[in-house]
Amino acid sequence: MSNSQVKFYSGESIPLELHKTRIVQKLHLVPIERRLQALYEGGFNTFQLNTKDVFLDMLTDSGTNAMSDNQLSAMMQADDAYAGSQSFFRLQKAVEDVLGKKYFLPVHQGRAAESIISITFVKKGDVIPMNYHFTTAMAHITQNGGRIEELLCDDALQIKSDNPFKGNMDIDKLVACIEKNGKENIPFIRMEASTNLIGGQPFSIANLMDVRRVADKYGIMLVLDASLIGENAYLVKQREREWQENSMADILKTMTNLADLVYFSSRKLSSSRGGGLCTNRKDLYLKMEALVPLFEGFLTYGGMSVREIEAMAVGLYETLDETVTGQSPEFIKYAVGELDKLGIPVVMPAGVLGVHIDAKQICAHVPQTEYQAGALTAAFFLISGIRGMERGSVSNQRDENGNETWADMELLRLAVPRRVFTLSQIKYVIDRMLWLCDNREMIGGLKFIYEPPVLRFFMGKLEPVSDWPERLMAKFRKDFGDSL
């Protein structure tokens, strides 16, 4: 039984946690004056905040999912050998059992896998078609001389839609891309489960099958970013009629079997740390094999501790459990539904990873040149103590001529890691977002004062273009008094 199958006699529709909390970590809600100071110290970049100033950390689900009792106990049996560790062989078996791939290369996290794939297969002038880019994937591809083409379905960028699979790739666009650029200049097609930057939107199995047919027709490799494939599979089971009676195990293997090469971040996929690449093609494995000892560590630990490897193996099996994988999507669905009832613009249908608030609508009075999503993210932390992530133009990168590239969507993402937050905390998120939207006209813009050349959203620093944070704080104090 999944979370969504539990009915309440009262008629209220709320997600039910099918787990209990046995270890807790104390949180602190510091005064708004300290939160304002923390923003200035961190350059209005939530990545630069110290967690002592953060109440609810909704920055990401990467490495922040709650681990199970079985994962923690498995860590105690770790084999600390540098080479030939039994922990690795347990993980290798889990990869084959869950993802259906025989050859496995461990890496310290997902972006390391992206680096190895790009170094191995991407050359200058290559084009990588994908349903949508992820920040680190695009950075590795462009660093190796390639470029991306995003081939989403037409309504994927609509904030509110009834399309259950806005992460689908447009097949006509894919064929046109191959014909235009030449199959010899396309080393692989990349599909991401689920599309992180447009609201965690899944793709359907039917669409992935169509992509596979095109890949076969032109003799092009299909690469699957499976970091959020568990949640994608959960939504396939919920939304794709042909698969509603299938098990999570069947759905997962169906998706991974359609790809030549699968890579993932276990910081998302299995509630642990680390990552990996896996395939059933030995030729692909051998092309990448030597890069793991060169950049990551030996082939049987790949830059991870063996304790992380043990937790990853257990976490992969737990991904097959709907009550584990479905908890985060159900909390997200609840929050999205409540925000929508209040008239707050939020990406719909609800996806995975987190709640995505539309900064373009809320901050329509702020020019996109002043980073609407970054401003909303900073403002929300100021009035709530909740750390979200900007998923807009700050997360983009400049073109080869140094010109700004404006994002298709300007989103504040509030990540909902597995089994971390309570329903009352989600309700606090909704309440503070309602107040901020009612006072949206007080939010102002930002400008960069320090901008690194790559992945600027991690390390860049900004500042407000006016004293709007101080005025917003004063309004909060007027409405809430001494309340934090």
Side-chain angles (χ1 to χ4, degrees):
M1 179 179 289
S2 74
N3 312 65
S4 59
Q5 294 172 314
V6 177
K7 293 184 179 180
F8 286 81
Y9 180 67
S10 66
E12 187 176 9
S13 179
I14 60 173
L16 178 67
E17 302 93 328
L18 294 180
H19 62 268
K20 61 182 179 181
T21 304
R22 300 183 64 190
I23 297 178
V24 297
Q25 185 175 33
K26 186 170 177 57
L27 298 174
H28 301 277
L29 181 55
V30 301
I32 190 171
E33 290 80 5
R34 172 57 206 162
R35 299 197 295 263
L36 178 61
Q37 184 180 356
L39 279 171
Y40 276 103
E41 291 169 357
F44 282 74
N45 179 351
T46 53
F47 273 98
Q48 299 296 315
L49 293 173
N50 190 312
T51 54
K52 68 181 177 61
D53 297 313
V54 173
F55 172 43
L56 301 181
D57 196 352
M58 306 182 85
L59 182 77
T60 181
D61 65 339
S62 182
T64 62
N65 293 301
M67 290 173 50
S68 70
D69 51 356
N70 288 326
Q71 285 181 291
L72 291 171
S73 61
M75 294 171 77
M76 297 299 102
Q77 66 174 343
D79 176 1
D80 285 316
Y82 183 94
S85 167
Q86 295 307 297
S87 297
F88 169 79
F89 294 112
R90 283 189 280 269
L91 174 57
Q92 186 179 48
K93 184 177 187 304
V95 169
E96 187 166 9
D97 289 347
V98 177
L99 300 179
K101 301 299 185 186
K102 179 180 179 181
Y103 301 106
F104 174 64
L105 292 168
V107 292
H108 79 276
Q109 65 182 89
R111 75 192 56 161
E114 291 167 343
S115 175
I116 287 172
I117 291 170
S118 297
I119 291 170
T120 303
F121 299 108
V122 177
K123 65 182 187 304
K124 187 175 182 179
D126 279 348
V127 176
I128 314 299
M130 54 182 66
N131 50 351
Y132 205 71
H133 81 277
F134 183 62
T135 49
T136 54
M138 181 169 68
H140 285 299
I141 289 167
T142 56
Q143 286 283 304
N144 284 278
R147 63 180 177 85
I148 66 166
E149 286 203 16
E150 296 165 330
L151 308 175
L152 282 167
C153 55
D154 289 339
D155 61 347
L157 300 179
Q158 293 179 14
I159 293 299
K160 196 170 183 178
S161 168
D162 59 2
N163 182 350
F165 294 107
K166 292 198 290 186
N168 280 355
M169 181 177 283
D170 187 299
I171 300 303
D172 291 337
K173 292 177 184 176
L174 174 59
V175 172
C177 173
I178 297 170
E179 292 290 343
K180 179 183 70 175
N181 294 289
K183 63 181 182 180
E184 67 278 5
N185 297 314
I186 299 177
F188 59 86
I189 300 166
R190 176 183 174 272
M191 286 291 284
E192 181 181 328
S194 304
T195 46
N196 189 313
L197 295 179
I198 64 164
Q201 297 297 303
F203 57 72
S204 67
I205 288 180
N207 182 250
L208 188 61
M209 288 177 171
D210 288 341
V211 174
R212 176 76 261 178
R213 280 190 280 270
V214 174
D216 287 341
K217 176 182 176 180
Y218 290 95
I220 299 173
M221 181 170 63
L222 177 56
V223 173
L224 174 62
D225 178 347
S227 298
L228 287 165
I229 199 170
E231 285 78 1
N232 199 119
Y234 179 81
L235 292 185
V236 162
K237 188 170 173 61
Q238 299 292 312
R239 300 176 183 179
E240 195 165 2
R241 184 174 54 83
E242 297 84 350
W243 294 92
Q244 288 176 354
E245 300 304 317
N246 289 78
S247 68
M248 286 284 289
D250 288 341
I251 294 170
L252 273 167
K253 275 193 177 178
T254 298
M255 289 192 285
T256 55
N257 284 341
L258 289 166
D260 298 288
L261 175 61
V262 175
Y263 76 92
F264 59 89
S265 169
S266 281
R267 298 174 71 86
K268 297 179 183 292
L269 176 60
S270 69
S271 304
S272 59
R273 304 292 188 273
L277 306 104
C278 55
T279 181
N280 283 329
R281 287 179 51 180
K282 191 170 184 179
D283 61 321
L284 299 182
Y285 173 88
L286 292 175
K287 286 180 180 179
M288 299 181 292
E289 179 187 47
L291 294 177
V292 172
L294 184 62
F295 291 115
E296 295 294 297
F298 194 65
L299 292 168
T300 53
Y301 75 93
M304 291 180 281
S305 80
V306 286
R307 287 162 182 79
E308 292 169 345
I309 287 173
E310 294 283 2
M312 189 196 301
V314 173
L316 281 170
Y317 288 116
E318 290 181 346
T319 298
L320 303 178
D321 183 344
E322 287 183 55
T323 68
V324 174
T325 307
Q327 188 272 328
S328 174
E330 291 299 329
F331 265 51
I332 293 166
K333 179 181 177 182
Y334 171 79
V336 165
E338 294 301 304
L339 289 165
D340 181 59
K341 288 177 190 176
L342 295 169
I344 296 170
V346 58
V347 172
M348 298 182 75
V352 307
L353 198 158
V355 177
H356 295 77
I357 313 293
D358 183 19
K360 277 191 174 181
Q361 291 187 60
I362 295 175
C363 298
H365 58 286
V366 176
Q368 191 174 20
T369 54
E370 294 180 4
Y371 306 107
Q372 295 160 317
L376 180 62
T377 303
F380 191 56
F381 170 75
L382 176 63
I383 63 96
S384 68
I386 299 168
R387 173 164 71 165
M389 185 191 293
E390 188 274 359
R391 297 276 74 171
S393 294
V394 173
S395 294
N396 262 17
Q397 62 186 39
R398 293 183 182 271
D399 65 20
E400 62 274 12
N401 298 315
N403 298 314
E404 187 67 87
T405 57
W406 302 109
D408 295 318
M409 304 178 85
E410 295 285 348
L411 303 175
L412 159 57
R413 187 187 77 191
L414 301 171
V416 183
R418 293 181 190 173
R419 300 170 296 189
V420 172
F421 299 122
T422 66
L423 199 58
S424 68
Q425 290 168 338
I426 296 296
K427 290 183 176 182
Y428 174 79
V429 172
I430 295 165
D431 178 81
R432 288 302 189 261
M433 183 56 68
L434 177 61
W435 183 89
L436 185 58
C437 284
D438 285 345
N439 293 277
R440 66 184 73 187
E441 74 283 351
M442 301 191 72
I443 303 172
L446 300 173
K447 62 181 180 181
F448 270 103
I449 55 175
Y450 167 65
E451 186 177 348
V454 180
L455 299 177
R456 65 183 183 179
F457 68 96
F458 283 141
M459 299 163 288
K461 290 185 179 292
L462 304 97
E463 67 179 10
V465 298
S466 68
D467 66 345
W468 67 262
E470 287 77 11
R471 289 185 281 110
L472 187 64
M473 181 177 70
K475 182 65 166 64
F476 180 90
R477 275 289 179 229
K478 180 180 178 182
D479 289 357
F480 288 94
D482 292 333
S483 171
L484 297 176

